Amino acid sequence: MPHIDFKNDLPGIRSALAYSPETAAPLGVLAEILLRSDEGLTRAERELIATYVSYLNDCFYCHHSHGEIACIYLDGDREIIDQVRNDFSTADISEKLKGLLRIAGKVQQSGKAVTTDDVVHAKNSGATDKDIHDTVLIAAAFCMFNRYVDGLATTTPKDMSSYPLRAKQVAEKGYGNHIYTEKQPA
Amino acid sequence: MPHIDFKNDLPGIRSALAYSPETAAPLGVLAEILLRSDEGLTRAERELIATYVSYLNDCFYCHHSHGEIACIYLDGDREIIDQVRNDFSTADISEKLKGLLRIAGKVQQSGKAVTTDDVVHAKNSGATDKDIHDTVLIAAAFCMFNRYVDGLATTTPKDMSSYPLRAKQVAEKGYGNHIYTEKQPA
């Protein structure tokens, strides 16, 4: 049961966003830029970083939600998502993304855990300054989103078929206000 | 030395905000609402929660920056800030704020660390649902801001006299774009 009365029965972060539209607005803009920008990192890479950090933070709702969105951008290749969760160092992904996931994993622990060696390694694998900036901010933002979702004990849908349906809506329409106001397809 | 070339020599989060104005915009809006809303929690309470979480995350820049802003709202009473950092349970603050700081400290660890008992305790001390919502989101947001600042190894001003000067600007003008574009008074 949620820790506060959201005055709605939406699942996950949507209940908190609908409860507090004034903070939902900048959170939606931030998610839209960080996860759907086509400059530098691909949308699949951005969602994989979000999924990985949410997995490390043990946020069931976020890691399954963003895993399903990543899956859409990866043309349904669910195996890559499982590989990233289990051990990204052996996953079928670029060396650049491996370098960035290493940084994201450090950010999940603490900003101070990121070392010069982590950054040099990512740069040597092809990451630009902007890629590193975006990775650090995506990882940091999911340390916020995950805590927002679990710190208020929002409801986690147990029906796993709801996640891909929701992911399709987000992949098509993005992270605008409809994310909490629009009814999910049955 | 910062992990990336910010193309500016601003200190702390300001270097990252100036490097990435498109993400700086929603981050500024979020900070403005969370830290300067006059609905429910006071500005002093909001800044004390931000200071406490930044202290727990060992983010020197954030915890001193927000500590100085809290100090302004507390009419210069620096002792309360030291008390909150050292042991808020014995600080000269309301039972409600103690209950909320207990929740904020849990959020810093993990969203899942917040228990029903923590929430009931805060409510019994006078906290409303909105106070609890805002506390969880302030604490979660500072788990992001702190990681953004330290994960990119931004520059930390060593001259402690710069923090109160900067705090005065923020207390007067808020968290808009001027936060990284405007020159700090000498």
Side-chain angles (χ1 to χ4, degrees):
Chain A
M1 214 183 87
H3 286 321
I4 64 173
D5 178 5
F6 288 121
K7 303 191 186 304
N8 67 66
D9 58 0
L10 292 166
I13 198 167
R14 295 166 64 197
S15 55
L17 296 173
Y19 175 81
S20 178
E22 63 277 21
T23 42
L27 292 175
V29 174
L30 184 65
E32 183 71 21
I33 298 170
L34 288 178
L35 299 176
R36 289 168 60 84
S37 166
D38 291 311
E39 195 189 335
L41 300 176
T42 65
R43 292 185 184 191
E45 288 170 330
R46 293 167 184 275
E47 290 287 354
L48 278 172
I49 293 166
T51 303
Y52 179 59
V53 171
S54 300
Y55 174 73
L56 294 178
N57 279 328
D58 195 21
C59 183
F60 187 95
Y61 177 82
C62 294
H63 108 245
H64 285 285
S65 297
H66 291 278
E68 289 301 327
I69 301 166
C71 188
I72 291 173
Y73 295 137
L74 292 166
D75 298 324
D77 190 344
R78 191 173 306 277
E79 207 177 322
I80 289 183
I81 297 157
D82 291 337
Q83 288 171 358
V84 165
R85 278 185 197 131
N86 296 336
D87 178 5
F88 68 77
S89 71
T90 59
D92 185 20
I93 55 174
S94 68
E95 287 305 309
K96 182 178 94 170
L97 184 53
K98 288 181 189 177
L100 294 172
L101 287 168
R102 175 170 144 183
I103 290 174
K106 295 292 191 75
V107 171
Q108 186 268 336
Q109 295 166 33
S110 157
K112 293 201 160 156
V114 180
T115 64
T116 304
D117 187 57
D118 296 327
V119 175
V120 168
H121 179 266
K123 287 185 182 174
N124 287 343
S125 306
T128 65
D129 274 5
K130 179 166 165 45
D131 295 339
I132 291 165
H133 169 273
D134 287 5
T135 296
V136 169
L137 188 50
I138 292 168
F142 276 80
C143 288
M144 169 180 65
F145 290 127
N146 299 161
R147 282 168 169 80
Y148 191 34
V149 164
D150 285 332
L152 291 169
T154 66
T155 308
T156 301
K158 293 286 177 276
D159 175 7
M160 295 310 291
S161 70
S162 69
Y163 292 88
L165 287 170
R166 185 72 196 158
K168 192 163 172 289
Q169 279 187 313
V170 175
E172 282 171 3
K173 301 187 181 178
Y175 291 95
N177 279 359
H178 61 85
I179 203 168
Y180 57 88
T181 54
E182 194 172 75
K183 201 169 150 50
Q184 183 164 317
Chain B
M1 213 184 87
H3 286 320
I4 65 173
D5 178 4
F6 288 122
K7 302 191 187 305
N8 67 66
D9 58 359
L10 293 165
I13 199 167
R14 295 166 64 198
S15 56
L17 296 173
Y19 175 80
S20 178
E22 64 276 20
T23 43
L27 292 174
V29 173
L30 183 66
E32 183 72 20
I33 298 169
L34 288 177
L35 299 175
R36 290 167 61 85
S37 167
D38 291 312
E39 196 188 335
L41 300 176
T42 65
R43 292 185 184 190
E45 288 169 331
R46 293 167 185 275
E47 291 286 354
L48 278 173
I49 293 166
T51 302
Y52 179 59
V53 170
S54 300
Y55 174 73
L56 294 177
N57 279 327
D58 194 21
C59 183
F60 187 95
Y61 178 81
C62 294
H63 108 246
H64 285 285
S65 297
H66 292 277
E68 289 300 328
I69 300 166
C71 187
I72 290 174
Y73 295 137
L74 292 165
D75 297 325
D77 189 344
R78 191 172 305 277
E79 206 176 323
I80 289 183
I81 298 157
D82 291 338
Q83 288 171 358
V84 165
R85 279 185 196 133
N86 296 337
D87 178 5
F88 69 77
S89 72
T90 59
D92 185 20
I93 55 175
S94 69
E95 286 305 310
K96 182 179 94 169
L97 183 54
K98 287 181 189 178
L100 294 172
L101 287 169
R102 174 170 144 182
I103 291 174
K106 295 289 191 78
V107 170
Q108 186 267 337
Q109 295 166 33
S110 157
K112 293 199 160 159
V114 180
T115 65
T116 303
D117 186 57
D118 296 326
V119 175
V120 168
H121 180 266
K123 286 184 183 176
N124 287 343
S125 306
T128 65
D129 274 5
K130 178 163 164 48
D131 294 339
I132 291 165
H133 168 274
D134 287 4
T135 297
V136 169
L137 189 49
I138 292 168
F142 276 81
C143 286
M144 168 179 67
F145 290 128
N146 299 161
R147 281 168 170 80
Y148 191 34
V149 164
D150 284 333
L152 290 169
T154 65
T155 307
T156 302
K158 293 286 177 275
D159 175 7
M160 295 310 291
S161 71
S162 69
Y163 293 88
L165 287 170
R166 184 74 195 155
K168 193 165 172 285
Q169 279 187 314
V170 174
E172 282 170 4
K173 300 186 180 177
Y175 291 95
N177 279 358
H178 60 85
I179 203 170
Y180 57 90
T181 55
E182 193 172 76
K183 201 168 150 49
Q184 183 164 317

